[in-house]
Structures are given as structure tokens and as C-alpha cells.
Amino acid sequence: MRFGDWMNISVDEFTRVKEENTKLKQLVRKYQKRIANSVDKKEVEFILNNLIPTMDEEVAGYYEIFSEMSCPKLTYLELIKLITLLFKTNRADLATFYCQQYITEKNLDEVKEITEEMQEEYQKVLTGLSKEVLKKNSTEVHLKIYFEIFSYQPNLKLSFVIFPQLLEQNIYNLTNKIFDLRNDYWLLKLFFIVSYYCPKLIQEYLDYLASHWDIINRWVKEENLPTWEFYVNLANHTQMKKKVTALKEYYQAKSNGLKSPALIEPEPSISNNQIDTKQWEKCSEVRKYGYELKNKTIEQRRVALQTAMKHIPLSKIQSHIHWLLQNSYKKNGVHGDFSKAINAYEMDLEYLQKFFYKDL
């Protein structure tokens, strides 16, 4: 407002502005007092680190005694606030201990009635916890505690109102966090939580996992494959069923003696949306992972086949190479000399059979 405009202001407008100014002054005084009496993050870290040393085997016994002496009854909301604060002050060890004390041992006060105000408060504190878990420097410990929070139901109404909202907001950020950690156990854990609280997301979530299978399959543990198989079959997701089956066959082949040559796996030369299934001979699903005869050594073809095995069921790989072989037989002598191609395809089929069917 320009200086001259004050001459035209009404009495009511002047009164309103004066009242607003008074309120702002009161807020400033309030926040100045709060700042004067507050403790910053570094000071909290200093206090915690001196009063309660970082947990290890030597201090764990004393720590439990301390907990028994000073551990008050908490509500679920208070526990989340406590854990979030401990994450902020880099004390995931304390967060782990208190999470175990209150959730595993079931020492939390029950939540009986949930008002709308309480729902908003829960949403707010759980969102704050999620932000801490999704930070770049967070670890598997943070993720473990986060999922344990989800495993506890303070109140059915609260769980099935707040948890689905939280999952919808964070599911892909959580998944990308798990990608960084390279542990498929947490993907399975997240999958279970999503299927329980938010089943409508399952198909979309599996689509996302299928589209990132090139990243995931490299660190899916063999012992976890039955669980993967159970989940994708339960969801009846065709694409993921094929991928899990292919990876299962790959591990079976590996245990039968298949060894990877010391070569870098080739990147897929053709993306999924470029594949024309009507022209299999020109652009097959196997070729997408680098399998072809032109300018490829035997070792390079085998690397390509091993890469394809993680994505495509063995029967389909064999079927395609057999088709290429039969096509080469038909063309040989009619459209040129295909003897080298015939020899290569026969060797590749023999290679697959040798490692997948060692008893034959």
C-alpha cells in the first residue's frame, strides 16, 4: 500500500488491519519464547549419546535395566513421535529397542475411540515418520521399524483409514528405497502390507515391479522364490508369473552346473514396446536380451541366453531356438548356405539341455 492510500482507508479497514497487527505481534512473542526454551537437534543428540550410549552387546544389559526403571506407558501416537525423534537424532538403535518394548511386548495403551481430530493427528505423525524412513541416509533398520509400525493395529478403524492413504502416497518411494537396499525381503514385506490394507493397488503395483524386473531379478534370493510365486499366483498377475517362473528355472539350472562366462551382460537391445510378436524371426523376445548369431561369439550367445533365462521361461527359449533351427534347415541350399547357423543353433540347444537336464 502506498503512503497516499492511507488517506482513503475506511475506519473499519483501519480497525481490521490494527487487530491483525496485534495478533502478529503476539505470535512473534510466542515463537520467540518457544525458541528461547527449545532444544535443537544437535543438543538432543548430545544428551542422548551421553546419557544412553549407542547400543552394543556390552551395554545391552544395562540398557534394559534403564528401560525397566524409566519406560512409561505410551500410546501408539506417542510411540510414533518418539521413534520419529530418535530417527531424526540418528539413534535408530534406541528406536529399535523401544519399538520392541512397546509393539512386540504389547505394552502400548489401547486406543478405544478415534475422533476425526485424532485421525488427522495420526496422519500427520505417520507422514513425518515416513519422511524419515525415505531419507537417503536411512537403512534397513529404519525400514524394519516402519513395517513393524504397520504390523501393529491400534484400532481397526484407524488402521484401515490411515494406512491405505499412507501406502498410496508412499508405495513407489518405498519401493525405490528398497531398490537402493537391494533386498527382496522388504519388497515381499511391502507386498504383504499392501495386499492386506490396500488390495486395490496390487495389480498396479505388480505392473510396476514387472516393468523394473531387470533391476530386481539380480538380487532376488532363491529361498524367497516360493513366496514370490505364492503372491503373484494369488494375484493372478500373468506377466509376473512368467518372470518368477523364468527366474526359478534359472536358479535350478545354476544349481545343476550352469556357469556364467566372465563377460558383461549385454543390455537389452530392443525395448518391450518395439517387439512385434507377429514377426518373431526378426525381433524375438530372446533377441531382446542380446541373443543373435550375427557378430556374436559362442560365449556372448551364452551370456545372452543366461540373461534371457531370468526373464523368459526355458520352454519358450528352447521353442524359439528350435523354430530358428527348423527355419534354417528349410532355407539351407535354397536361399544360401545356412550350415553355420544350423551348427550354432544346434550347439545352443545342446548347451541348454546339458545344464537344465544333467541326468539325460
Side-chain angles (χ1 to χ4, degrees):
M1 185 179 288
R2 291 174 299 178
F3 180 76
D5 293 339
W6 284 100
M7 302 297 294
N8 301 322
I9 194 170
S10 66
V11 175
D12 290 341
E13 183 68 13
F14 178 79
T15 304
R16 186 188 64 78
V17 171
K18 188 176 179 181
E19 286 174 354
E20 282 186 5
N21 191 46
T22 302
K23 288 178 182 177
L24 287 171
K25 284 181 179 179
Q26 290 171 347
L27 277 174
V28 169
R29 285 195 293 270
K30 176 184 173 182
Y31 288 129
Q32 282 174 338
K33 286 180 182 178
R34 186 177 292 179
I35 291 168
N37 297 318
S38 68
V39 180
D40 67 20
K41 177 187 167 185
K42 288 185 179 179
E43 289 172 323
V44 174
E45 285 178 353
F46 174 79
I47 292 166
L48 285 174
N49 291 335
N50 281 277
L51 289 178
I52 313 169
T54 302
M55 281 192 66
D56 55 37
E57 291 180 5
E58 293 180 7
V59 302
Y62 298 104
Y63 194 41
E64 287 178 4
I65 293 170
F66 169 81
S67 174
E68 287 174 8
M69 292 171 59
S70 61
C71 204
K73 274 282 187 181
L74 293 178
T75 64
Y76 179 67
L77 188 66
E78 289 168 336
L79 176 65
I80 298 167
K81 287 180 177 178
L82 174 62
I83 288 173
T84 304
L85 178 61
L86 289 170
F87 281 169
K88 284 182 178 179
T89 51
N90 300 316
R91 291 305 301 267
D93 60 315
L94 279 172
T96 301
F97 186 83
Y98 280 110
C99 187
Q100 184 177 8
Q101 285 289 105
Y102 284 103
I103 289 183
T104 309
E105 301 297 328
K106 298 181 180 177
N107 289 328
L108 286 172
D109 281 343
E110 260 187 70
V111 181
K112 293 180 180 177
E113 273 192 48
I114 303 294
T115 63
E116 286 188 13
E117 287 183 3
M118 286 176 71
Q119 281 187 29
E120 288 179 11
E121 183 68 12
Y122 273 107
Q123 185 76 44
K124 181 180 175 182
V125 296
L126 281 165
T127 299
L129 179 64
S130 300
K131 287 179 181 177
E132 291 301 314
V133 171
L134 292 170
K135 282 184 176 177
K136 284 185 178 179
N137 62 343
S138 67
T139 65
E140 289 192 57
V141 173
H142 295 76
L143 209 58
K144 182 176 184 291
I145 293 171
Y146 189 68
F147 287 144
E148 282 181 3
I149 292 289
F150 270 99
S151 70
Y152 179 77
Q153 286 188 346
N155 177 284
L156 281 176
K157 180 185 174 184
L158 179 68
S159 300
F160 284 94
V161 169
I162 301 237
F163 288 172
Q165 292 177 13
L166 205 64
L167 286 167
E168 285 185 33
Q169 290 169 6
N170 295 295
I171 184 169
Y172 297 112
N173 288 332
L174 280 168
T175 303
N176 291 330
K177 180 68 187 177
I178 295 168
F179 286 174
D180 292 339
L181 297 172
R182 294 179 167 272
N183 189 336
D184 69 317
Y185 171 81
W186 299 116
L187 277 181
L188 291 169
K189 189 81 173 174
L190 179 57
F191 189 94
F192 173 77
I193 290 169
V194 171
S195 62
Y196 187 74
Y197 287 110
C198 206
K200 68 177 184 178
L201 284 179
I202 289 297
Q203 292 299 320
E204 182 185 325
Y205 185 53
L206 282 172
D207 287 342
Y208 185 79
L209 293 184
S211 68
H212 289 76
W213 194 248
D214 284 352
I215 299 171
I216 300 167
N217 76 74
R218 298 179 185 184
W219 38 267
V220 169
K221 296 183 183 68
E222 187 175 1
E223 59 267 28
N224 290 337
L225 276 174
T227 311
W228 276 100
E229 205 168 23
F230 173 79
Y231 282 148
V232 297
N233 286 340
L234 195 66
N236 197 27
H237 193 278
T238 305
Q239 195 178 4
M240 277 296 287
K241 276 164 52 171
K242 287 180 180 177
K243 291 183 180 294
V244 170
T245 300
L247 191 57
K248 186 178 176 182
E249 288 179 347
Y250 174 79
Y251 275 122
Q252 287 171 347
K254 200 172 180 182
S255 66
N256 285 347
L258 182 145
K259 295 178 182 178
S260 301
L263 294 172
I264 299 171
E265 292 184 356
E267 292 295 323
S269 56
I270 301 166
S271 62
N272 287 333
N273 58 7
Q274 290 176 311
I275 294 174
D276 181 2
T277 54
K278 293 179 181 178
Q279 295 182 344
W280 220 25
E281 73 278 15
K282 293 182 182 177
C283 185
S284 75
E285 203 172 350
V286 182
R287 187 178 175 185
K288 181 179 71 167
Y289 295 102
Y291 179 79
E292 58 184 335
L293 299 189
K294 189 177 180 180
N295 300 323
K296 296 282 184 180
T297 64
I298 294 173
E299 289 77 15
Q300 287 173 327
R301 292 204 312 274
R302 290 181 180 180
V303 169
L305 286 173
Q306 289 179 38
T307 306
M309 288 174 206
K310 299 177 185 178
H311 302 265
I312 308 166
L314 172 64
S315 57
K316 192 168 183 180
I317 296 173
Q318 289 177 310
S319 174
H320 178 64
I321 295 176
H322 182 72
W323 180 88
L324 290 171
L325 177 61
Q326 293 302 315
N327 200 39
S328 296
Y329 279 136
K330 289 177 184 178
K331 291 179 179 179
N332 192 32
V334 179
H335 298 285
D337 183 6
F338 281 77
S339 58
K340 287 184 179 179
I342 290 170
N343 186 51
Y345 291 137
E346 285 178 343
M347 287 175 64
D348 291 344
L349 283 172
E350 186 181 346
Y351 168 78
L352 291 171
Q353 189 167 358
K354 177 183 175 183
F355 288 103
F356 278 83
Y357 306 103
K358 64 174 182 178
D359 295 328
L360 295 179

